[in-house]
Amino acid sequence: AAAAARLSALRLPPGHCPLSSAALARVLPPLRAGAGSLRTAALAAGMAWPQGDDRLGPVAAPEAGSDGLPYYGVVLLQHLRYGSGRAQDPEEARLGRVADPSLHIGLNQVRLVVNALVERYGRPAEIHAEIARELKRSSEQRRRDARRQRYLQGEAERLRETAATQLGISPDTVGPDVVQRLRLWQELGPDEADRKCPYTGEPLSAAMVLAGEAVVDHILPFSLTLDDSLSNKTLTTRQARLRKGNRTPWQAFAAQGEGVEAAFGALAPGGARLPADKRERLQWDGLEGWLRGHTGCISRALEDDYAASHMLRRYLQHLCPASSRVVTGRLTALLRQQLGVNDALGREAPGHRHDHRRHAVDACIVGITDERTLGELAAAAARARDAGASGLVEGFAPPWPTFAQHVQRAAQSVLVSHRPDHGHEGALHRDTAYGLRGSGEVSARTPGQADRQRVVLNLSVIPIADARAVHRHGLGEGGEPRAYKGYKSDSNCCVEVVRDTDGRWHSEVLTTFAVYELVRRHGVERLRHPGRAASGRPLVMRLFKGDCVRMEVRGALRVMRVRMVSQDGRIHLCEHNEADAKRRMEAQDKTLVNAIVSAETARKWSARRVTVSPLGEMRDPGFSA
């Protein structure tokens, strides 16, 4: 323990790598011989790389009689932090947890879903999984990605306007292929007159781009990489694209004795100003560098290189040691398009992200992503390139003829399982303090710098009094210190729907502050009472944000999710599968299925609180007026 503490506190200066002296002795000779990276040198020395599962030894077999996943800390002990080590503590506190809270929640949800599936269907023979993109990046990286995405969207609109002006057409009729060509054309240099084909150095003008004479090409052939991202695309002439064929740029132009060997690579005829990642693909070892030690594009696509993916794979290997894989998500969208399931939810492509059930569609694609599927995709891409077809692939067939219909039927029948937060903890009030007049009315200064006056506001606030300020503010009618300021409640914790003696329903909103007071005085059991509201009236149901309600909406029996509760007691609902509801409501999106109802309206619509299990099974107690 003492040695571990000393090693944990050790901070090495920059330049050190995570290898022992014995490992360094093995990788130094390949590095001195010209290996381009530590990964390449380690592979040449017969060592496992990248940080794969092999370096951690064999995965522990499940305990006898246990068919599910244990707490992830049992399997991923080397990745944990903050463990107490005390035997009397619960497992999570004793072993610790991963540092990333999103990954901690994700792994626990994986355990919840997998164990529910095992309990229902038995131990699986094979597991395919895919890590969500958000789990791979830190919060700062996600914020940076969001800023970049906003910038790119604005840039796309600007390019669309430019193309429309040059072509004399409406911006709405400018296709995304034109916008992509203009974006790739800008990458070739800041000076329009100096933008050239990266392969041959031939000038590319704006007129050529808009007329389609300059075409998009995969720097590394798609059939060899299955990479259709912008990072693998550039702009070239039709003649150069035909000459390049299904080869790398180096194989097509530099290795054929055409006199550009010395200039090709990082200083290719027109590629000197390309982004660094694209210049690397122009090098003689561009394909090998992109593969990152994998034997081919299929191997790389079936083994995601992110650390979070390695952890998930090792965790799932506890259940399926030989048949667990975490595939990369780069090909999911492409396979979805080629297999004709983009419209499985019956929505236009721009609205696809508005439906939580899109993850079910992606899961169907991930489930069939294996060596055979990717091999057929690569072969179809090679056929399309050899035949000069306009499409990316040619002759790529689904795994069975009715695959698209089966995906559509499965996705549309999914009930989305949300994870409601029934905790009462939260911010009690907002930061702004409001002054209270002698009558208890809320007052505040008008905005602006000059001649600001106090005005009376119609706000309900939490009054604050202090016995030490009695000499300034006096006493109330009951002899208590008079309140002199107030804070507005920050949020509503939940809404309790209660029944009157005449059978009508009413809403009683509990603010977070009021719930804290209730729990402090009567304990949390009072907040969880199944039949009595905080006011003592008969309780119909208690709804928190994220809870699901089943009711008659627009003539159909729908499962709705609680989005928020207004102070006046109205309940804001949207259908269980609707995503990004707040922004879409502000944008008046007519495709959004939502409702704002009072308690009495909910009674007329036969509302009742339901739950949806991790397997998508609904538990409906039925309506009771």
Side-chain angles (χ1 to χ4, degrees), residues 94-341:
R94 173 171 56 86
L95 297 176
R97 50 189 291 180
V98 294
D100 187 342
S102 297
L103 186 57
H104 170 74
I105 295 173
L107 290 173
N108 280 330
Q109 292 300 304
V110 166
R111 179 189 181 190
L112 181 69
V113 173
V114 169
N115 286 351
L117 289 168
V118 170
E119 183 179 359
R120 168 62 63 88
Y121 302 105
R123 180 176 295 189
E126 192 170 343
I127 300 179
H128 291 197
E130 178 188 323
I131 285 280
R133 286 173 294 179
E134 290 78 5
L135 287 181
K136 300 176 182 178
R137 311 184 71 78
S138 65
S139 58
E140 177 57 33
Q141 287 174 321
R142 289 196 293 270
R143 285 193 293 269
R144 188 163 60 246
D145 289 346
R147 290 194 297 268
R148 175 172 172 76
Q149 188 66 25
R150 288 193 295 270
Y151 166 77
L152 291 177
Q153 289 175 353
E155 186 71 6
E157 292 300 322
R158 186 187 66 80
L159 292 175
R160 185 172 286 108
E161 293 284 349
T162 300
T165 302
Q166 294 289 333
L167 296 173
I169 59 177
S170 170
D172 296 336
T173 61
V174 176
D177 55 331
V178 178
V179 175
Q180 185 182 90
R181 290 202 302 269
L182 286 172
R183 178 178 295 175
L184 295 173
W185 182 61
Q186 287 185 341
E187 281 187 351
L188 298 176
D191 187 0
E192 294 186 14
D194 197 32
R195 293 173 183 170
K196 303 176 182 178
C197 169
Y199 306 147
T200 64
E202 184 177 344
L204 299 176
S205 64
M208 295 175 64
V209 176
L210 294 174
E213 297 176 11
V215 295
V216 178
D217 182 59
H218 292 89
I219 302 175
L220 297 177
F222 177 76
S223 61
L224 301 180
T225 60
L226 300 179
D227 184 4
D228 192 42
S229 66
L230 277 178
S231 300
N232 192 38
K233 291 179 180 179
T234 189
L235 211 61
T236 183
T237 62
R238 290 186 179 275
Q239 294 78 8
R241 186 176 185 271
L242 289 174
R243 285 172 56 192
K244 177 172 173 286
N246 205 33
R247 298 176 292 177
T248 67
W250 184 274
Q251 293 170 343
F253 298 100
Q256 301 299 321
E258 298 185 14
V260 293
E261 292 89 341
F264 211 81
L267 299 176
R273 295 186 179 91
L274 285 176
D277 58 339
K278 295 190 177 184
R279 293 200 305 269
E280 291 177 359
R281 299 179 190 226
L282 295 174
Q283 298 285 347
W284 66 271
D285 60 345
L287 181 59
E288 288 74 14
W290 180 87
L291 288 173
R292 298 179 184 174
H294 292 281
T295 57
C297 62
I298 296 177
S299 171
R300 178 176 172 180
L302 294 177
E303 295 180 13
D304 204 339
D305 286 336
Y306 286 95
S309 300
H310 281 292
M311 294 171 64
L312 176 58
R313 181 187 178 195
R314 184 168 177 79
Y315 187 33
L316 295 176
Q317 280 180 328
H318 183 81
L319 196 60
C320 292
S323 303
S324 295
R325 60 172 48 138
V326 179
V327 303
T328 176
R330 299 182 186 94
L331 294 174
T332 303
L334 177 62
L335 286 171
R336 205 172 53 225
Q337 177 184 359
Q338 295 297 327
L339 294 172
V341 297

Side-chain angles (χ1 to χ4, degrees), residues 444-454:
R445 289 190 181 276
T446 57
Q449 297 298 324
D451 299 330
R452 292 188 299 173
Q453 297 180 348
R454 282 199 168 273

